[in-house]
Amino acid sequence: MTANSEIDMPAQTAGITHSEVTSVEPAIAVNNLNIYYDKFLAVRDVTIEIAPRSITALIGPSGCGKSTFLRSLNRMHEVIPKAHVEGVVQLNGEDIYRPDVDPVTVRRRIGMVFQRPNPFPTMSIYENVLAGMRLNANRLSKPDADEIVEHSLTGANLWGEVKDRLDNPGSSLSGGQQQRLCIARAIAVEPEVLLMDEPCSALDPISTMAIEALMEQLKDQFTIVIVTHNMQQAARVSERTAFFNIDGPGQPGHIVEMDLTEKMFSNPQEKATSDYVTGRFG
Amino acid sequence: MTATMSPPQSQVSSLTTGKMHRAIPFAICAFSVAVGVVAVYSIGGFKWGWMAIVGAHLYLLLVTIASRVIEDRRQATDRAMRTVMTIAFTTVTIPLISVFWKVIAEGASRFDRKFFTGGMRITPEDMLAQMEGAAVGGALHAMVGTLIITAIAGIISVPLGLLTAIYLVEYGKGKLASAVTRMVDVMTGIPSIVAGLFAYALFELFLGPGTRSGLSGGVALSLLMTPVVVRSSEEMLRLVPNELREASLALGVAKWRTILKVVLPTAIAGILTGITLAVARVIGETAPLLVTAGVAQDINLNPFSGRMTTLPVFSYYEYVQPGVPPETGIARAWGAALMLVMIVAVLFTAARIMSHVLKPKGLK
Amino acid sequence: MSQPVAQEKINKAPTSVPDRLFSSLSRASAVTILLVLSGVAFFLTIVGWSGMFGDIEGMSGSDNFLEYVGPLVFGTVYSATLALLIATPLAFAVALFISHYAPRRLAQTLGYVVDLLAAIPSVVFGIWGITVVAPLMSKNVYPWANDNLSFIPFFSGTASTSGRTMLTAGMVLAMMILPIITAISREVFLQTPRLHEEASLALGATKWEMIRQAVVPYGRSGVISGAMLGLGRALGETMAVAIILSPSDGYFWSILTNQNSNTIASNIALKFPEAYGLDVNRLIATGLVLFLLSFGVNMLARRVANSGFSGAAG
């Protein structure tokens, strides 16, 4: 089944190959999701399931809509005016796009780490970790706050490096440390899912390794979805990989196939996938 | 200084031949100044202004001729233009220095206790003292008035302007936003006296003709101040990287909290700077207050009724209606002018310092 | 698939009460500003109406409104134009000096100095103008100009000995609008693409040739719009003119005499405090004329600015 033939087919049977069906209840289930910017269809007809407590990588050429898709998973794409979706995204069986659901609540449960480290410049390292609570005016006792900071920074493999200078501004850290601070900030609010949008693309190789090692640890507690343009990274860290593609400029992005990472890189079902992972395009 | 970047002249180089030795312009300069001084002195005595004018023009002429002879036409034009620019800049700094010099020289004489402790309610004894040339009367009522009216303007303009800027940057995308932007744009150029007339007309419609009050003065000033606050705050809010908003939203923080706790603190240095400059702009306004708040002899603490004097209006009236003999009134006018210039300079400097000190370390 | 069904979904997303409160509050502020600012012309028209068309007998001076406001409009435009003619070349040179000639480290401080000029209250400029500029000019320049240049109509008439002339007013106004023209010109000069500058220099151009080839064409529209904004400000400037000028009723071209057309703003400042009855309304009506005048000039300035810094293309 080629990518082109999908267009004419009814959505339900659109040919995304799921050779490996997750045996457990999925953390996130996406059904026939179309994502629009105003009238422009950016991503069409995505149906995938994301397994809990594992790492799922989204790969594909630039402009194929993988970041847009990722941002639709915690309704961050709504920050852009007139962006909206059709279809269903379920978090543990609950539709996050139901009309009475506040996107703010969704984002508390599905955290996000961005491409470039973005600690709050007005806050210290300590305050940055607590930002999720403090900004929501949750009252914390000092011991509780200390506990959360230490726990989150430890979880982000940063505690040892910063424990003596928690009052320094977050921006005083190196790029890789800043990104781990952002991860600590995201996990401090104890989300169920962690979305990562090319978290290493602005970092040097050493920092990248540190983040990858961290992801390996975090997947015991969190469901992680990572967008990466780096196929080696996807191969190194993820259990499952989804390949997104685009037919041409102005066309909507769509998912080509999703499978266990091992299989995607050794024996993909679609030609487009094998072309991409072997470096023939993109 | 590309033109004078040449190695020592002892080395003969193809790159330096045909260039004027760098000492020549200095020599011409010294010669021109000397000629200017001597020529002007021999004709009309020691007039430093004329000396400078003659010297500068002579230098311009000679350096161009020298360059034309030693170098070429293109270099001559270049040197001439460089000289013209420098002369123009110097010309502009002269009035600036002159203003400060004059204001300090004339105003300092009235920086006495009476000036800061009393108003203009002048007793018969004061009148007599004034006839004999003593310094009487003070500007306390004008200082208090300035404080009250500027505070009113600030209380109206800052929240209104800041919230509007927030609307424009964080919420507004449609027709309303572009209408507001255009209106604010146009209104930054509104003549200040028109703002005064507007406030007068507004209060006249509601409170009857001839109303003068501190409040209407404050409203007039806020009309001038609000556009400035909107523009500068908007600019500063737009400088806050979008990534910070996203980081906060992704933590499940509501938008209004994101704006109040992340966006505003990040932009606060610039916003405060803008507000300070806006205050500096309106605190020296005379015309709108002339028609709205009027002039009073005494301290008036009630902005809702009665006339209220501010420093600029006080300075104006003391100059144009100085009383008898005029020297004492004019001295009061200069005193108020000095006070005003000092306030503006302090605000101006404070704004500069603020924008450096308060800026979050993480932002370039 | 072409028509998104979920269009309304974005608007329906429920937001918390404080969120809605805050956004309506900021929206309300924006609407308030819009209303108030557009109310300026409205209120001036209402109150000024009887000044334009009311009973002339009730006003001092029995000419009709057009005859009343005519010389004032003339004086306003004349003094502002004079100021513009003096300030623009100076501002152009100063802006270029700061952006391209002064050492980089000094440039910021020099910019600050020029900005400081803008911050000086106009009443201070006025008093300074009449005590420093006016006597200086009337002693040193005006007699000479009057003797030697009186064949030009502008310099004819009896030279003022007090210096309270249109030229003095124009010079002080020029000092007051110079900072704004300088600031805007400097901004566009600094934005000249480095590539254009370097391309020119690499061809062996001298600094001035580079400026003529790369900087001036690029910044032309910026200078023009800065000058227009300066003109707008000069039109509305009140105190300096009110203090310096010795006004008369009528149209006067000569810039060295004691007979000068007054400006709208200065006329209001001089007459308003003592005015009563319909005279007040007439003054407010002249204010409306001034508002429209400066509004027009400002719109023109924006149009020039928005036409883009397209000089670079030509």
Side-chain angles (χ1 to χ4, degrees):
Chain A
M1 199 177 294
T2 68
N4 283 334
S5 68
E6 290 171 23
I7 297 169
D8 304 316
M9 304 193 70
Q12 277 79 0
T13 56
I16 300 137
T17 46
H18 277 273
S19 62
E20 193 268 348
V21 177
T22 44
S23 50
V24 286
E25 196 65 17
I28 295 180
V30 181
N31 247 312
N32 303 332
L33 189 70
N34 290 318
I35 309 174
Y36 294 90
Y37 290 117
D38 200 5
K39 298 209 164 81
F40 174 70
L41 178 62
V43 177
R44 80 171 146 80
D45 204 17
V46 176
T47 302
I48 59 170
E49 291 181 344
I50 288 161
R53 302 194 196 295
S54 72
I55 300 179
T56 304
L58 311 180
I59 60 170
S62 28
C64 68
K66 52 194 193 303
S67 280
T68 300
F69 172 70
L70 188 80
R71 290 165 66 93
S72 74
L73 293 182
N74 70 343
R75 300 184 65 167
M76 273 304 285
H77 73 295
E78 288 173 17
V79 169
I80 294 157
K82 295 191 175 170
H84 59 104
V85 302
E86 304 165 351
V88 178
V89 178
Q90 287 178 319
L91 173 64
N92 295 329
E94 278 181 274
D95 184 1
I96 65 169
Y97 280 100
R98 234 175 45 205
D100 57 338
V101 172
D102 186 346
V104 171
T105 331
V106 173
R107 294 175 198 144
R108 305 229 69 186
R109 294 174 60 185
I110 307 181
M112 190 159 198
V113 176
F114 295 84
Q115 194 165 351
R116 287 205 302 165
N118 51 3
F120 298 121
T122 49
M123 300 181 191
S124 67
I125 295 172
Y126 185 91
E127 288 166 337
N128 256 292
V129 177
L130 291 176
M133 283 98 178
R134 287 273 166 84
L135 291 177
N136 273 317
N138 292 358
R139 293 237 162 264
L140 285 172
S141 69
K142 177 76 176 143
D144 284 352
D146 289 345
E147 160 81 33
I148 291 171
V149 170
E150 179 169 357
H151 182 252
S152 309
L153 285 173
T154 311
N157 278 347
L158 195 59
W159 177 248
E161 292 160 65
V162 301
K163 65 169 187 276
D164 299 323
R165 45 177 173 143
L166 292 173
D167 289 332
N168 288 13
S171 45
S172 66
L173 300 173
S174 74
Q177 288 173 324
Q178 284 188 21
Q179 193 61 300
R180 276 179 283 151
L181 176 60
C182 292
I183 294 174
R185 183 175 67 186
I187 63 180
V189 294
E190 301 186 327
E192 293 150 53
V193 180
L194 209 51
L195 307 177
M196 296 182 156
D197 190 358
E198 303 192 20
C200 303
S201 65
L203 304 181
D204 61 89
I206 308 277
S207 306
T208 301
M209 273 168 59
I211 303 274
E212 285 180 9
L214 173 59
M215 286 165 62
E216 202 56 41
Q217 288 172 28
L218 290 174
K219 75 173 183 194
D220 295 339
Q221 289 176 58
F222 303 98
T223 305
I224 296 177
V225 185
I226 176 176
V227 163
T228 175
H229 61 261
N230 179 336
M231 279 178 286
Q232 284 75 31
Q233 183 169 58
R236 282 194 299 266
V237 299
S238 70
E239 271 99 64
R240 287 172 194 78
T241 298
F243 172 55
F244 280 71
N245 201 358
I246 188 166
D247 293 334
Q251 299 286 316
H254 56 92
I255 189 163
V256 175
E257 81 176 288
M258 177 175 180
D259 210 327
L260 289 173
T261 301
E262 222 171 287
K263 191 132 176 271
M264 285 286 279
F265 280 89
S266 58
N267 184 22
Q269 306 224 325
E270 300 287 335
K271 181 162 182 306
T273 313
S274 72
D275 282 354
Y276 184 74
V277 298
T278 52
R280 228 165 283 166
F281 84 98
Chain B
M1 297 294 261
T2 45
T4 53
M5 256 188 22
S6 50
Q9 292 292 296
S10 55
Q11 288 179 318
V12 178
S13 152
S14 67
L15 286 175
T16 56
T17 47
K19 293 289 284 182
M20 199 149 79
H21 190 281
R22 75 172 95 171
I24 293 178
F26 288 106
I28 295 177
C29 184
F31 175 74
S32 310
V33 170
V35 169
V37 169
V38 172
V40 173
Y41 185 76
S42 57
I43 298 171
F46 195 77
K47 287 184 172 169
W48 64 269
W50 285 111
M51 291 172 182
I53 292 171
V54 171
H57 285 86
L58 195 61
Y59 172 77
L60 175 60
L61 186 72
L62 292 181
V63 87
T64 312
I65 292 172
S67 172
R68 186 78 178 82
V69 171
I70 303 173
E71 298 170 332
D72 57 12
R73 195 181 50 78
R74 295 172 53 214
Q75 293 296 335
T77 314
D78 190 49
R79 280 184 195 277
M81 291 319 291
R82 182 189 299 272
T83 312
V84 168
M85 305 291 164
T86 316
I87 292 176
F89 184 79
T90 321
T91 311
V92 168
T93 52
I94 290 169
L96 186 70
I97 294 167
S98 167
V99 169
F100 277 104
W101 175 257
K102 189 78 181 167
V103 168
I104 293 169
E106 301 279 341
S109 69
R110 274 316 311 266
F111 266 40
D112 49 34
R113 234 195 56 172
K114 232 184 240 160
F115 192 71
F116 293 95
T117 52
M120 282 302 293
R121 181 65 63 195
I122 292 182
T123 61
E125 295 85 67
D126 284 339
M127 290 291 251
L128 284 176
Q130 180 161 315
M131 296 300 270
E132 273 146 32
V136 299
L140 182 63
H141 62 308
M143 295 172 204
V144 172
T146 293
L147 216 61
I148 293 175
I149 289 179
T150 311
I152 293 172
I155 288 169
I156 299 172
S157 304
V158 172
L160 200 62
L162 191 52
L163 279 168
T164 302
I166 289 174
Y167 174 77
L168 292 177
V169 176
E170 308 289 339
Y171 294 102
K173 295 288 187 299
K175 283 208 182 90
L176 176 62
S178 61
V180 171
T181 306
R182 201 165 312 140
M183 193 53 94
V184 166
D185 240 23
V186 170
M187 283 301 155
T188 41
I190 185 176
S192 63
I193 189 132
V194 172
L197 291 179
F198 164 73
Y200 177 87
L202 189 73
F203 278 73
E204 183 185 82
L205 279 183
F206 293 115
L207 299 173
T211 328
R212 299 281 200 286
S213 69
L215 182 65
S216 80
V219 169
L221 291 191
S222 74
L223 195 70
L224 296 169
M225 191 174 164
T226 310
V228 184
V229 174
V230 174
R231 285 286 291 276
S232 64
S233 307
E234 189 190 348
E235 204 169 304
M236 291 305 140
L237 290 174
R238 286 200 197 284
L239 284 181
V240 175
N242 227 352
E243 296 154 15
L244 297 181
R245 295 185 181 87
E246 297 204 332
S248 175
L249 292 175
L251 286 170
V253 177
K255 185 162 182 173
W256 70 284
R257 281 188 178 281
T258 301
I259 293 169
L260 286 183
K261 303 235 168 151
V262 175
V263 179
L264 276 184
T266 310
I268 198 71
I271 291 174
L272 287 178
T273 305
I275 291 173
T276 313
L277 290 177
V279 170
R281 185 195 155 179
V282 299
I283 210 165
E285 282 294 351
T286 317
L289 298 173
L290 219 52
V291 300
T292 50
V295 60
Q297 306 301 319
D298 263 336
I299 291 178
N300 173 11
L301 291 174
N302 182 1
F304 299 102
S305 98
R307 293 162 181 255
M308 194 182 268
T309 311
T310 60
L311 278 171
V313 173
F314 175 75
S315 179
Y316 170 68
Y317 270 114
E318 289 303 314
Y319 192 85
V320 296
Q321 298 169 3
V324 190
E327 284 75 23
T328 47
I330 290 173
R332 285 191 291 265
W334 281 113
L338 174 57
M339 181 99 203
L340 259 182
V341 169
M342 280 169 59
I343 292 173
V344 169
V346 165
L347 285 173
F348 214 67
T349 316
R352 286 268 151 168
I353 294 171
M354 213 152 27
S355 72
H356 283 287
V357 172
L358 285 177
K359 186 166 274 185
K361 313 269 180 306
L363 290 177
K364 287 137 271 174
Chain C
M1 195 172 281
S2 59
Q3 267 309 333
V5 198
Q7 179 70 59
E8 70 274 33
K9 217 175 200 175
I10 34 167
N11 304 326
K12 267 193 181 167
T15 37
S16 60
V17 176
D19 234 348
R20 253 174 298 162
L21 262 177
F22 187 73
S23 71
S24 350
L25 190 65
S26 74
R27 194 187 174 83
S29 300
V31 173
T32 309
I33 285 193
L34 196 63
L35 288 180
V36 170
L37 294 186
S38 47
V40 171
F42 178 71
F43 277 101
L44 292 183
T45 312
I46 287 188
V47 180
W49 191 262
S50 53
M52 279 187 266
F53 304 106
D55 181 16
I56 285 159
E57 299 306 311
M59 306 179 201
S60 53
S62 58
D63 34 12
N64 69 30
F65 182 69
L66 278 182
E67 278 173 33
Y68 180 79
V69 82
L72 296 177
V73 171
F74 170 77
T76 305
V77 174
Y78 196 34
S79 63
T81 311
L82 213 53
L84 195 67
L85 288 178
I86 301 169
T88 309
L90 260 184
F92 175 81
V94 170
L96 260 186
F97 180 79
I98 295 175
S99 70
H100 283 83
Y101 283 97
R104 291 242 155 219
R105 290 180 52 201
L106 214 63
Q108 229 185 350
T109 319
L110 298 183
Y112 172 79
V113 168
V114 175
D115 287 346
L116 196 62
L117 200 59
I120 295 175
S122 61
V123 64
V124 177
F125 263 119
I127 299 179
W128 169 78
I130 198 165
T131 49
V132 177
V133 183
L136 194 75
M137 299 307 284
S138 66
K139 261 189 225 121
N140 295 309
V141 181
Y142 293 168
W144 175 85
N146 192 227
D147 289 345
N148 298 296
L149 299 172
S150 58
F151 59 90
I152 306 169
F154 301 120
F155 298 105
S156 62
T158 317
S160 161
T161 48
S162 65
R164 301 181 61 182
T165 67
M166 197 51 114
L167 183 56
T168 310
M171 287 172 72
V172 175
L173 279 182
M175 286 318 300
M176 302 177 71
I177 62 171
L178 187 120
I180 183 169
I181 308 179
T182 305
I184 292 171
S185 309
R186 187 183 63 194
E187 200 85 343
V188 286
F189 290 157
L190 284 173
Q191 279 170 9
T192 310
R194 273 215 87 73
L195 274 175
H196 293 190
E197 296 188 17
E198 284 169 1
S200 181
L201 288 175
L203 289 170
T206 61
K207 189 151 200 162
W208 172 245
E209 286 162 349
M210 179 274 279
I211 287 171
R212 276 192 48 191
Q213 284 171 356
V215 180
V216 173
Y218 185 81
R220 191 182 292 134
S221 66
V223 177
I224 294 173
S225 86
M228 298 297 283
L229 286 178
L231 179 65
R233 188 159 293 186
L235 290 173
E237 179 44 50
T238 313
M239 298 323 291
V241 182
I243 294 172
I244 291 170
L245 207 61
S246 88
S248 306
D249 200 10
Y251 300 84
F252 303 99
W253 284 102
S254 177
I255 54 175
L256 299 179
T257 69
N258 272 335
Q259 284 201 308
N260 304 288
S261 305
N262 206 355
T263 70
I264 296 177
S266 154
N267 183 60
I268 296 171
L270 292 175
K271 300 221 174 113
F272 201 91
E274 270 86 48
Y276 59 90
L278 278 176
D279 282 345
V280 171
N281 301 69
R282 182 158 68 177
L283 287 173
I284 289 179
T286 64
L288 181 65
V289 173
L290 172 63
F291 175 64
L292 295 177
L293 206 60
S294 74
F295 184 86
V297 169
N298 280 327
M299 288 309 260
L300 211 61
R302 309 259 170 239
R303 185 159 305 169
V304 174
N306 291 341
S307 73
F309 307 120
S310 53

